Amino acid sequence: MTFEVNFDGLVGPTHQFSGLSEGNLASLASRGRVSDPRAAALQGLSKMRRLMRLGLKQAVLPPHERPDVETLRRLGFPGSDAAVVEAAARADPLLLANASSASSMWTANAATVSPSADCADGRVHLTPANLAAKLHRSIEAGFTTRALRTIFADAGRFVVHDPVPAGGAMGDEGAANHMRLAPGHDAPGVEVFVYGRSAFESGEGGRRFAPRQAKEASQAVARLHGLDPSRALFLRQARAAVDAGAFHNDVVAVANGRLLLAHELAFEDGAAAFEAIARACPFEIGFAIARETQVPLAEAVASYLFNSQLVARPGAGGAMSLILPENVKGCAASLAFAEDLAASGGPIDELVFVDLRESMWNGGGPACLRLRVPLTAGELRALGGRVVLDEALLQRLEEWVRRRYRDRLSAADLGDPLLLEESRAALDELTALLDLGSIYPFQRG
């Protein structure tokens, strides 16, 4: 038996709104807002509980240590850890904000995952994303790789590759630009890689936002994972979608099993792209496509309708639930489209709304917060640490958040050395809760 395991990122203690992500409209609009890290983390854990109650396997990935003192040292700030933070706050608050970002919470960008059913060597392959497009995210790859190699440590079952080289425009944004269609989690599937441009083409004039994913990075991941070339498809993001604020494909498309849910303007080739997906699949698939006349692209991006989690409930005969952000309720066209889906008699028969306001204000919906990893029963047992949740562990994590996290954080607070001390104390306790050992730099000396 193969399970869908959703690895959600635990929101870190330095969750903040500094507007660091150009191309992400919600992030830019929230710049300067005072954040509530405690509420953000509890909202994420509440979503995980909802998935567990649907019968799915739910796991967590730990937040990164922030502020990243070593990055600040490399940028020329000397002295003790506290002195580095204080000096950065005085000299360049924006650099400090980048080094303090809690963006690792969006684990759809942590890596690209291919299940063992798709890979030539019969192992699960994971390639951490280099996230080269943004400074605050580019510093994540090293720790993400260490964390994944701690959890997926059994070399007989798992391969965690190094990130794809990040030079030039060779950006890799992970699973946020990757989808999989298959008859079931245990059957060979077709993996769809969505890119924004070639790493070697000249920039396009007149663009509102630059695309982040390189075609060559997607192709490299497919090769590293040993995918059958006939079952790996490469599609270009629509320029209109990127310029509308769909900085990742998962803002306009999501797939699971035999179903693809997408906006009609998701891909540059339009209808031809959907036809290519159908041809690539040697099994029957279905499409749920929102037309521009039904859900305008601008509303789709604002509501995060397509950044929902599409999950098949175990034991429900293929019936699916769509896990949507509460924002959809405030967008009439998006809500009507979702309600019509659930009433249509198709595989989606349940809508589940979750409150993720703190994440949404920074441009991350339900799908952003999870990395989907199909695992066989043996692979699930082979995971390192204690990262698969049960109700008891979930309650301990909630209690940990309530004790360790601040309920108010402003840009000025990032320069407080006490925040670094508080964060490290929280993470030190977390590694014991999750049985991950000394994985953080401050723990390793």
Side-chain angles (χ1 to χ4, degrees):
M1 185 173 184
T2 299
F3 303 94
E4 172 182 337
V5 186
N6 289 285
F7 282 77
D8 279 41
L10 287 170
V11 179
T14 60
H15 164 66
Q16 40 142 333
F17 301 113
S18 295
L20 304 176
S21 189
E22 181 193 4
N24 180 332
L25 299 182
S27 173
L28 296 176
S30 297
R31 180 183 286 133
R33 182 191 290 267
V34 173
S35 68
D36 186 341
R38 184 185 301 162
L42 292 174
Q43 287 166 11
L45 288 165
S46 178
K47 180 182 81 75
M48 297 181 216
R49 178 176 279 110
R50 296 293 293 273
L51 270 290
M52 290 167 60
R53 288 178 175 173
L54 291 175
L56 281 89
K57 301 291 185 182
Q58 180 66 57
V60 294
L61 291 177
H64 294 208
E65 178 189 345
R66 293 292 182 267
D68 187 338
V69 176
E70 290 311 308
T71 290
L72 292 172
R73 280 205 173 88
R74 291 172 61 195
L75 292 167
F77 299 104
S80 67
D81 290 353
V84 166
V85 172
E86 290 176 318
R90 288 192 302 269
D92 197 330
L94 188 56
L95 271 183
L96 177 59
N98 274 269
S100 302
S101 174
S103 53
S104 66
M105 62 195 274
W106 297 300
T107 54
N109 303 117
T112 304
V113 181
S114 296
S116 51
D118 290 359
C119 301
D121 64 2
R123 295 183 290 176
V124 178
H125 284 248
L126 306 94
T127 297
N130 64 33
L131 298 172
K134 305 295 175 188
L135 173 61
H136 68 290
R137 304 227 59 182
S138 68
I139 61 178
E140 295 176 16
F143 181 76
T144 296
T145 303
R146 180 184 304 148
L148 291 177
R149 285 178 174 161
T150 300
I151 296 167
F152 298 92
D154 185 340
R157 297 181 182 272
F158 309 118
V159 183
V160 179
H161 299 276
D162 289 333
V164 172
M170 195 72 164
D172 177 25
E173 299 286 310
N177 282 333
H178 172 263
M179 301 181 292
R180 181 175 186 265
L181 292 155
H185 292 307
D186 57 348
V190 170
E191 300 196 21
V192 182
F193 295 81
V194 185
Y195 63 92
R197 56 169 290 174
S198 165
F200 306 114
E201 69 186 48
S202 59
E204 299 175 73
R207 293 209 66 145
R208 184 184 183 193
F209 299 122
R212 302 184 186 183
Q213 181 79 28
K215 179 179 182 180
E216 292 78 9
S218 295
Q219 292 171 328
V221 170
R223 287 192 294 268
L224 288 167
H225 292 193
L227 302 183
D228 181 341
S230 69
R231 288 176 173 260
L233 185 63
F234 302 90
L235 299 175
R236 187 165 188 147
Q237 287 174 288
R239 172 173 174 163
V242 177
D243 285 347
F247 51 100
H248 293 131
N249 177 68
D250 67 2
V251 178
V252 286
V254 60
N256 185 40
R258 297 176 180 266
L259 181 64
L260 174 64
L261 172 62
H263 195 277
E264 70 170 330
L265 300 181
F267 308 113
E268 188 65 26
D269 290 340
F274 295 109
E275 293 168 4
I277 293 171
R279 287 196 304 272
C281 294
F283 44 86
E284 185 178 352
I285 62 171
F287 295 94
I289 308 300
R291 306 298 175 188
E292 177 71 5
T293 54
Q294 294 175 287
V295 183
L297 184 58
E299 180 174 316
V301 171
S303 69
Y304 270 44
L305 167 65
F306 297 100
N307 196 248
S308 301
Q309 287 180 251
L310 181 60
V311 298
R313 301 189 303 277
M320 295 187 183
S321 298
L322 191 62
I323 317 301
L324 303 119
E326 287 280 348
N327 295 49
V328 170
K329 291 181 178 179
C331 299
S334 296
L335 180 61
F337 180 79
E339 290 178 336
D340 287 347
L341 276 179
S344 67
I348 299 174
D349 67 356
E350 180 183 40
L351 305 180
V352 178
F353 291 91
V354 291
D355 176 10
L356 297 170
R357 284 171 290 177
E358 287 285 330
S359 178
M360 289 289 292
W361 282 328
N362 244 339
C368 287
L369 285 162
R370 68 93 174 90
L371 182 68
R372 195 200 314 257
V373 185
L375 295 172
T376 67
E379 292 161 353
L380 186 62
R381 289 192 297 269
L383 294 176
R386 188 186 177 196
V387 294
V388 179
L389 294 182
D390 55 27
E391 183 60 30
L393 179 55
L394 185 58
Q395 290 180 13
R396 282 195 288 274
L397 289 173
E398 289 172 328
E399 190 272 334
W400 166 77
V401 168
R402 292 188 180 100
R403 281 189 296 104
R404 292 292 191 179
Y405 279 48
R406 297 187 182 189
D407 61 3
R408 184 185 189 281
L409 195 68
S410 67
D413 295 326
L414 298 178
D416 180 3
L418 287 177
L419 179 62
L420 175 63
E421 293 180 20
E422 292 169 13
S423 299
R424 287 179 170 175
L427 298 179
D428 199 40
E429 182 179 348
L430 177 66
T431 54
L433 284 172
L434 301 182
D435 193 22
L436 291 174
S438 299
I439 61 172
Y440 290 105
F442 73 88
Q443 295 174 318
R444 299 157 64 94

